[in-house]
Amino acid sequence: AQDKHEAALACANHALSLNRLSRPSVRVTAEILQLLGRDEEALALLSEADRVLESGQITVHIALLQTELGRHEEALGAWLRARELHPLAEADVAVWFDAKLADTLYYTGRLSEAAERAQGAGAGFYESLAKKLATDPRNGRKILHVDFVAQFHMTCVPATLSALCRYWKMPVDHAALAAEICYE
């Protein structure tokens, strides 16, 4: 919460040194690595743990990170494995998995399979997506590649604005923007 990510990483690495396969330590360390822009290290750590642990949370984290990195084929495998690791998932969790699988199938170009999963992902957006893909597979979504900007404590809006400004090639410093609109 104090945005001292390097210090947080040192603490997380210490926890890992005590137990390399502690699920909470692996997850926290991976999250901190991601905040520091070290996605490949985060993915390597998660993958190492995933080979040994049967933790749906670790596998979901892998799938989310692979999706962020645009590795949709790999993410599809991780989503399917994560779903298998949650055999007793409650209805709302099962719907969430269907939504994630629909997204990933869409990203891989498997539009008919994406439409099938979208039907199981509940009403609203995914119901509409399923209908659009059934009538015209090209009538799906436009995906914008907006880079991630890590927010500081209580700076969600400035981080979002910074990311959008970068996308439109009008960069603005996240910290300066936060100081301008959040702390006055």
Side-chain angles (χ1 to χ4, degrees):
Q2 295 178 357
D3 300 315
K4 297 178 180 177
H5 299 133
E6 291 293 344
L9 182 59
C11 292
N13 280 331
H14 176 69
L16 284 177
S17 75
L18 299 174
N19 182 355
R20 183 74 180 162
L21 294 175
S22 160
R23 183 192 47 78
S25 299
V26 168
R27 291 214 50 224
V28 167
T29 305
E31 287 173 13
I32 296 166
L33 287 167
Q34 285 181 262
L35 287 172
L36 292 168
R38 294 162 59 180
D39 294 337
E40 293 300 329
E41 288 176 67
L43 189 55
L45 175 63
L46 291 164
S47 297
E48 174 189 344
D50 191 49
R51 284 190 288 275
V52 178
L53 303 175
E54 288 190 351
S55 169
Q57 289 182 336
I58 295 288
T59 311
V60 164
H61 197 152
I62 289 170
L64 289 168
L65 182 51
Q66 287 171 330
T67 299
E68 265 314 298
L69 295 172
R71 298 177 186 170
H72 303 297
E73 288 292 339
E74 294 172 48
L76 180 58
W79 283 120
L80 291 169
R81 176 169 153 59
R83 183 62 183 101
E84 288 175 9
L85 291 171
H86 290 86
L88 301 176
E90 294 185 15
D92 59 333
V93 176
V95 165
W96 181 78
F97 273 114
D98 277 337
K100 293 301 181 184
L101 284 163
D103 290 340
T104 306
L105 288 161
Y106 181 87
Y107 296 145
T108 61
R110 299 174 190 169
L111 302 182
S112 62
E113 292 173 74
E116 288 175 31
R117 284 293 181 162
Q119 288 174 350
F125 173 80
Y126 286 98
E127 181 179 46
S128 174
L129 178 64
K131 287 178 185 174
K132 286 179 181 179
L133 289 175
T135 58
D136 181 5
R138 295 166 288 137
N139 187 9
R141 315 183 225 177
K142 173 74 174 149
I143 300 168
L144 303 178
H145 298 283
V146 179
D147 290 333
F148 172 74
V149 173
Q151 72 182 57
F152 302 144
H153 185 65
M154 303 292 287
T155 64
C156 180
V157 171
T160 302
L161 288 173
S162 282
L164 292 172
C165 287
R166 279 187 196 174
Y167 175 79
W168 291 108
K169 300 193 182 356
M170 300 179 344
V172 61
D173 180 68
H174 165 236
L177 184 59
E180 203 52 44
I181 65 176
C182 294
Y183 305 123
E184 299 225 348

